[in-house]
Amino acid sequence: QVQVVESGGGLVQAGGSLRLSCAASVSIFSLNVMGWYRQAPGKQRELVATIASGGSTNYADSVKGRFTISRDNAKNMVSLQMNSLKPEDTAVYYCNARTTSYSNWGQGTQVTVSS
């Protein structure tokens, strides 16, 4: 099964940008969908964005137009470019890799947006 490791979180002021990366231990061609989810304190984990093996993307309404998910097949990585960050984007961001057989999560990376 694939292992995924997130990187790129940190502290940024409102209006700023961050780029998260997710490195997979296997070829991402073998994964049906990869995505980013987030969980804020006291809230449930929620979808941020996903990208399928064919390249189609899906975004939460709250991040449309601000976040962009992309994949680098050669590096087995998926990235999340986050622009115009808001304090409500503060959360732990998790990478997920999914096939028809399993769904695996990374350990998460903290994103904190100060007002």
Side-chain angles (χ1 to χ4, degrees), residues 38-46 88:
R38 67 187 181 188
Q39 187 166 18
K43 295 187 177 181
Q44 289 188 332
R45 191 171 298 187
E46 63 177 6
E88 51 263 44

Side-chain angles (χ1 to χ4, degrees), residues 76-92:
N76 294 325
M77 292 184 68
V78 171
S79 298
L80 184 69
Q81 178 66 42
M82 305 186 295
N83 299 328
S84 302
L85 282 161
K86 304 175 181 179
E88 51 263 44
D89 294 318
T90 295
V92 178

Side-chain angles (χ1 to χ4, degrees), residues 81-104:
Q81 178 66 42
M82 305 186 295
N83 299 328
S84 302
L85 282 161
K86 304 175 181 179
E88 51 263 44
D89 294 318
T90 295
V92 178
Y93 283 69
Y94 296 91
C95 179
N96 175 263
R98 189 163 78 242
T99 70
T100 55
S101 301
Y102 62 83
S103 176
N104 285 2

Side-chain angles (χ1 to χ4, degrees), residues 40-61:
K43 295 187 177 181
Q44 289 188 332
R45 191 171 298 187
E46 63 177 6
L47 168 74
V48 176
T50 61
I51 185 164
S53 56
S56 59
T57 58
N58 181 49
Y59 295 93
D61 288 342

Side-chain angles (χ1 to χ4, degrees), residues 5-24:
V5 179
E6 305 96 336
S7 61
L11 173 64
V12 65
Q13 289 188 333
S17 298
L18 279 176
R19 186 177 182 87
L20 305 182
S21 294
C22 174

